[in-house]
Amino acid sequence: MLTSGLLRPVDDAHAIDEAALLRYAAEHVAGFPSPARGLALTQFGHGQSNPTYCIEASAPGGVTARYVLRKKPPGAILQSAHAVEREFQVLKALGTYTDVPVPKVFCLCTDASVIGTPFYIMEHLEGLIYPDNKLTGVTPTKRKTIYLAAAETLAAIHKVDVTAIGLQKYGRRDNYCKRQVERWGRQYLSSTGEGKPARYQKMLDLAHWLKEHIPKEDSSAGFGTGLVHGDYRVDNLVFHPTEDRVIGVLDWELSTLGNQMCDVAYSSLPYIIDATTSTGYSYGGFEYTGIPDGIPPLEEYLAAYCSISTLACCKLEVLCCLFAFSRGIYICRSISQMDYGGERARFSGKIANAMVDRAWGIINRENVLREQPARGMHVSNGPSQEFQRKHEGSISTKDQGKFVPSEKVMQLRNKLMKFMEDYIYPMESEFYKRAHSTSRWTIHPEEEKLKALAKREGLWNLFIPLDSAARARELLFEDMSHGSPGSSEELLLGAGLTNLEYGYLCEIMGRSIWAPQIFNCGPPDTGNMEVLLRYGTKEQQKQWLVPLLEGKIRSGFAMTEPQVASSDATNIECSISRQGDFYVINGTKWWTSGAMDPRCQILVLMGKTDFSAPKHKQQSMILVDVKTPGVQIRRPLLVFGFDDAPHGHAEITFENVRVPATNILLGEGRGFEIAQGRLGPGRLHHCMRLIGAAERGMNLMVERALSRTTFGKKIAQHGSFLADLAKCRVELEQARLLVLEAADQLDRHGNKKARGILAMAKVAAPNMALKVLDMAMQVHGGAGLSSDTVLSHLWATARTLRIADGPDEVHLGTIAKLELQRARM
């Protein structure tokens, strides 16, 4: 569109003293209409980092002159950001000494008293700007010309001899990537107001990864370094209104001296991710969604650049793309935090999140860039080839640590984290409000909507192990015409993950109390579904498993009894007596989690069918419909004051409850066997979720420490805090690796052989989480003990698992016995 088509009225937040501006311009801009009969001020909707205005001054005789004013934004700004002084310096040098197309600059005002902040005035270029990098509405022939012209103009910038035009001190040439990553990281920390720990941590992790993978050549100031634009893309170019050539390169705010390949990579981002400021974006760019007709392939775009530049591009370095992503993330995040109220400002936050995900996709071996056929540049044999390698298994150990998620898992993890940030975290406060209201034993209407969305996103029943899914597929779909790959029935059986693969995803769900149930991965349903998958008959599965898999009903697990120490399952006293075609149940259970939920329809109950049998053959498990006469839910139990509504933990009495004999699971005397099978995967999920809970505690703790001042300095500056924070991180990482190792052994050796490592994980994970969450609560002071944060609820949940997941003492006993057995061998 024409540059004039980007104009809109000046935002109230950016109103300036027009009279003062008129006086200043008349005095300092050569040729400015004088005396001016009037001044009209409008604002460009494109380019929001530094507010940009169009000045229309009317001269006597009706002639109107147009200029562009660009200024620093009002209010507090980040250090070194929005440097209009540097923009003016580079534009003046390029316009005076080179043929690089830039607008002519007239004056720089550093006196903030004139209109509120420093500014400069330059010429107005009446031409075309293309905000959409797909060039929608442009003919295919013109699209190609535009992209190739952009590549050639970038090459012209990079050929500039900065010493000859007086810019030799415009920036340091060496350590460009290192300095940029450090700067972006600091400014991201300062600018983010999102307060969403997962996304916050992913960006910090990305910055850390980049620091660890700085290219070796970055430390030198030799070949490949020079003038860098810093934000070079098609929508920062003004094209001639009738000729397909660039007449102006705009937005030099991030320009400096450094690694010019980062500029090339940044300009190539449309091929990797759709980062337009339209109403939506796609995860992949042209290379994924298809190149719009006419736009040249990436290799042709690079060849056009190489035909002019002194740099030769044989292959676009993956590391350069990652640095470009990081720069884009910071730019978009900064725009999203500005209170401009425009669609671009709001949408930029989503773009930043998508860029974080895409960058991690590249790091985790996503095949993003093709080999580039052009001339003579050094081709790295390091990260680029490794990133492009495809994986079939869940683990790659070549040049890596043992636990490296596969591409499939990383794609699911990225989708899951995005879902958490877009839907779960924003709804937490609403879920808590309902849970504390008189309607707390009813389901929030948004929950079912989110469950439907999670199912559509392929984030449903991810917990189901491969072996269980295979058996269920045979039983459930053998006589059914549906159940084909990709069908809704097939998707009920999860994504075909191992326990190890699920560990990476379960951890993410554990960062919110409310998340697991949204993905149909919450306890006790996961354990009960596994019991039915492994041990249920076809009839039992069709009646109860299918609606559980569909998320239409919920379930409870009735084992613990108030009158005996139920950690020793042989103590169970609830009786299950056979009477003809029925079993009659009598007894009392408590801590039956999920039984308070209005959707709960089925209980898996453990009792004794033969009190005289050997002690491990007395127990049986049976399915009990909660509506069966004699089932009485007596009361909800509180956990440190939390009733966990609407899920709840119930005390239930069973008085002469008659259930069909066909409801028995696996047969009489098999209850202990089923319980041990359930304890493996089902209860390891608790450990996985605890890692996520602790990670969220760490993130909240760090955010609080960076923002709160005590005794004259930030909490994060106190030595005692730093030591405790480091210890928490050490223990969290130790526990994470232990849990992943347990999941791996469970996959490879089965529940029985992995029982030692499983017991270790069940001891380590809750104790670690309690320590981290307690530290986070301490840093938050009174807020940490209140319901204003999730910390106290996460802590209460973690504390219960030192009992509910089997007492520490039982697990320690298992570990010690195995250790003694090894010593005797």
Side-chain angles (χ1 to χ4, degrees):
M1 65 176 67
L2 289 171
T3 52
S4 57
L6 298 170
L7 294 172
R8 54 178 169 79
V10 177
D11 292 333
D12 291 340
H14 295 142
I16 58 179
D17 186 338
E18 296 184 12
L21 173 61
L22 180 60
R23 290 193 297 271
Y24 187 90
E27 184 177 348
H28 295 88
V29 176
F32 193 85
S34 181
R37 297 180 58 185
L39 184 144
L41 201 64
T42 49
Q43 189 170 356
F44 285 95
H46 190 70
Q48 294 199 5
S49 181
N50 286 328
T52 308
Y53 307 77
C54 178
I55 304 171
E56 294 187 59
S58 300
V63 178
T64 299
R66 282 185 168 184
Y67 303 87
V68 173
L69 179 149
R70 191 161 160 88
K71 68 187 287 289
K72 287 187 178 182
I77 61 175
L78 301 175
Q79 184 180 5
S80 78
H82 310 287
V84 295
E85 300 88 350
R86 287 177 58 81
E87 287 188 47
F88 180 85
Q89 180 185 0
V90 70
L91 286 170
K92 186 173 181 62
L94 291 172
T96 303
Y97 301 110
T98 77
D99 294 327
V100 173
V102 293
K104 178 182 179 180
V105 290
F106 295 106
C107 62
L108 169 69
C109 176
T110 58
D111 183 358
S113 67
V114 178
I115 61 170
T117 61
F119 66 93
Y120 66 91
I121 297 176
M122 58 183 166
E123 71 172 318
H124 177 272
L125 299 174
E126 188 59 52
L128 297 169
I129 289 181
Y130 301 98
D132 177 8
N133 56 38
K134 299 183 187 69
L135 304 182
T136 305
V138 178
T139 64
T141 301
K142 194 176 183 71
R143 286 174 179 167
K144 182 174 183 177
T145 306
I146 289 169
Y147 262 77
L148 296 183
E152 293 166 0
T153 301
L154 179 60
I157 293 171
H158 289 173
K159 285 185 67 176
V160 168
D161 182 345
V162 292
T163 301
I165 65 172
L167 292 179
Q168 66 272 22
K169 295 183 179 180
Y170 192 59
R172 288 173 50 190
R173 293 174 184 249
D174 64 320
N175 293 311
Y176 172 76
C177 293
K178 179 176 183 293
R179 289 183 287 107
Q180 291 291 295
V181 171
E182 290 173 350
R183 177 191 179 193
W184 302 326
R186 287 194 306 268
Q187 295 189 344
Y188 181 88
L189 279 172
S190 301
S191 67
T192 185
E194 198 169 73
K196 296 178 181 178
R199 182 70 60 192
Y200 174 91
Q201 188 62 45
K202 283 181 74 174
M203 179 57 196
L204 296 184
D205 289 345
L206 177 61
H208 176 75
W209 190 95
L210 288 170
K211 288 179 185 178
E212 296 295 318
H213 295 82
I214 301 291
K216 292 181 180 179
E217 61 271 20
D218 186 58
S219 60
S220 68
F223 181 76
T225 63
L227 182 62
V228 173
H229 181 275
D231 193 15
Y232 191 87
R233 55 184 196 263
V234 169
D235 60 314
N236 271 336
L237 306 179
V238 181
F239 287 82
H240 192 280
T242 59
E243 303 171 16
D244 297 325
R245 60 183 177 87
V246 179
I247 60 172
V249 181
L250 309 177
D251 201 350
W252 291 80
E253 178 191 346
L254 298 178
S255 60
T256 186
L257 304 183
N259 186 338
Q260 293 175 326
M261 277 306 298
C262 290
D263 247 0
V264 179
Y266 189 76
S267 73
S268 303
L269 287 186
Y271 291 90
I272 306 169
I273 187 169
D274 181 357
T276 61
T277 53
S278 56
T279 56
Y281 64 88
S282 63
Y283 182 68
F286 298 157
E287 296 290 301
Y288 276 66
T289 61
I291 300 177
D293 190 18
I295 292 180
L298 179 57
E299 52 266 32
E300 186 176 352
Y301 173 81
L302 295 177
Y305 170 87
C306 295
S307 66
I308 295 177
S309 172
T310 54
L311 287 176
C313 307
C314 180
K315 180 177 178 180
L316 189 58
E317 296 287 353
V318 172
L319 281 173
C320 290
C321 284
L322 292 171
F323 285 107
F325 264 122
S326 298
R327 177 191 296 146
I329 292 163
Y330 162 64
I331 293 171
C332 291
R333 174 60 59 211
S334 296
I335 294 174
S336 74
Q337 295 302 322
M338 295 179 180
D339 189 20
Y340 291 143
E343 181 62 27
R344 184 174 188 239
R346 291 191 296 271
F347 188 68
S348 291
K350 293 184 178 181
I351 296 175
N353 291 344
M355 284 186 169
V356 173
D357 291 337
R358 200 73 179 93
W360 277 113
I362 295 175
I363 291 171
N364 290 286
R365 299 166 191 80
E366 201 163 345
N367 187 10
V368 176
L369 299 175
R370 301 171 180 168
E371 297 291 326
Q372 306 304 329
R375 55 196 183 95
M377 182 181 166
H378 165 71
V379 179
S380 169
N381 291 319
S384 298
Q385 292 181 358
E386 186 174 325
F387 290 164
Q388 294 176 0
R389 194 170 60 239
K390 291 290 186 181
H391 293 263
E392 294 181 357
S394 63
I395 297 296
S396 168
T397 56
K398 182 178 181 181
D399 300 325
Q400 297 287 346
K402 181 176 182 181
F403 299 118
V404 181
S406 67
E407 177 184 343
K408 172 184 177 181
V409 172
M410 283 308 303
Q411 288 177 347
L412 285 169
R413 188 174 186 271
N414 290 336
K415 287 177 67 177
L416 185 61
M417 293 185 75
K418 185 176 187 303
F419 194 101
M420 294 279 290
E421 303 211 15
D422 289 347
Y423 304 107
I424 304 295
Y425 296 135
M427 277 299 298
E428 278 187 328
S429 61
E430 294 301 314
F431 287 146
Y432 273 112
K433 285 179 184 177
R434 192 178 188 89
H436 294 151
S437 73
T438 56
S439 302
R440 64 183 180 277
W441 298 111
T442 62
I443 308 305
H444 196 293
E446 287 299 315
E447 181 175 327
E448 293 303 318
K449 294 178 183 178
L450 291 181
K451 287 168 66 175
L453 181 58
K455 194 179 295 185
R456 289 198 300 271
E457 290 287 324
L459 300 174
W460 191 255
N461 290 340
L462 296 174
F463 73 92
I464 299 177
L466 275 169
D467 57 343
S468 296
R471 182 170 185 267
R473 189 174 292 108
E474 293 174 3
L475 287 169
L476 294 176
F477 302 143
E478 61 183 3
D479 335 325
M480 302 167 69
S481 59
H482 50 286
S484 58
S487 69
S488 58
E489 291 82 7
E490 180 72 12
L491 293 175
L492 292 179
L493 299 180
L497 303 176
T498 64
N499 286 292
L500 175 58
E501 289 175 318
Y502 179 59
Y504 297 103
L505 309 178
C506 190
E507 173 187 329
I508 305 302
M509 299 179 201
R511 298 183 184 188
S512 172
I513 294 289
W514 305 96
Q517 63 202 46
I518 300 299
F519 305 104
N520 215 35
C521 292
D525 293 331
T526 51
N528 291 339
M529 283 189 272
E530 282 193 48
V531 165
L532 288 166
L533 280 164
R534 293 173 182 270
Y535 309 114
T537 66
K538 187 172 182 179
E539 291 70 27
Q540 291 168 346
Q541 290 180 334
K542 285 186 177 179
Q543 184 178 2
W544 300 112
L545 176 59
V546 171
L548 281 169
L549 290 171
E550 292 173 335
K552 293 179 179 178
I553 67 171
R554 298 206 64 181
S555 62
F557 186 67
M559 176 178 170
T560 306
E561 299 178 2
Q563 67 272 23
V564 297
S566 304
S567 58
D568 179 357
T570 63
N571 286 336
I572 296 299
E573 294 181 346
C574 180
S575 66
I576 307 174
S577 303
R578 181 71 179 259
Q579 295 182 10
D581 292 335
F582 293 87
Y583 283 100
V584 179
I585 304 169
N586 283 282
T588 301
K589 298 289 186 179
W590 71 344
W591 295 112
T592 305
S593 297
M596 300 297 301
D597 194 308
R599 297 163 296 185
C600 181
Q601 294 188 23
I602 186 70
L603 302 175
V604 178
L605 179 140
M606 186 168 182
K608 288 186 177 179
T609 47
D610 187 351
F611 284 78
S612 62
K615 68 176 185 177
H616 291 105
K617 295 295 184 180
Q618 298 175 7
Q619 301 81 12
S620 300
M621 286 197 185
I622 195 165
L623 299 172
V624 181
D625 188 323
V626 294
K627 296 179 181 179
T628 307
V631 178
Q632 296 291 327
I633 297 178
R634 296 296 182 183
R635 59 171 175 146
L637 301 168
L638 303 183
V639 181
F640 297 107
F642 293 99
D643 60 15
D644 289 335
H647 181 66
H649 314 279
E651 180 177 344
I652 307 176
T653 58
F654 299 83
E655 298 179 5
N656 296 316
V657 176
R658 293 170 61 85
V659 299
T662 53
N663 281 20
I664 200 78
L665 284 165
L666 206 57
E668 291 188 14
R670 309 289 293 274
F672 208 89
E673 176 186 344
I674 297 172
Q676 291 304 306
R678 187 182 189 275
L679 291 181
R683 283 197 171 172
L684 188 59
H685 297 172
H686 284 309
C687 299
M688 296 170 177
R689 284 186 289 267
L690 284 168
I691 301 299
E695 194 66 66
R696 186 161 188 194
M698 287 287 291
N699 293 332
L700 291 174
M701 184 196 321
V702 169
E703 289 178 1
R704 186 76 166 189
L706 289 170
S707 64
R708 286 286 175 137
T709 300
T710 61
F711 304 103
K713 56 184 178 181
K714 300 291 186 186
I715 294 176
Q717 295 175 310
H718 288 275
S720 59
F721 167 80
L722 294 173
D724 289 340
L725 178 67
K727 291 175 184 177
C728 285
R729 173 52 67 187
V730 169
E731 293 195 21
L732 195 158
E733 296 302 330
Q734 288 173 336
R736 175 183 278 123
L737 289 173
L738 187 60
V739 170
L740 292 175
E741 175 67 21
D744 187 41
Q745 289 198 26
L746 188 61
D747 290 326
R748 291 187 289 112
H749 304 308
N751 185 35
K752 186 174 182 180
K753 288 187 177 180
R755 65 189 185 278
I757 193 74
L758 289 169
M760 294 179 208
K762 292 174 186 180
V763 171
N767 283 281
M768 175 280 300
L770 285 170
K771 178 176 179 179
V772 172
L773 292 167
D774 183 79
M775 173 71 177
M777 291 163 68
Q778 192 74 11
V779 171
H780 278 73
L785 306 178
S786 73
S787 59
D788 288 356
T789 74
V790 297
L791 293 172
S792 59
H793 201 177
L794 290 173
W795 184 93
T797 301
R799 182 61 185 86
T800 65
L801 293 178
R802 288 191 58 208
I803 297 174
D805 204 16
D808 286 2
E809 293 76 9
V810 172
H811 299 314
L812 291 169
T814 299
I815 298 165
K817 288 175 184 177
L818 290 171
E819 198 67 26
L820 291 172
Q821 287 176 13
R822 278 194 290 270
R824 295 190 185 105
M825 292 176 63

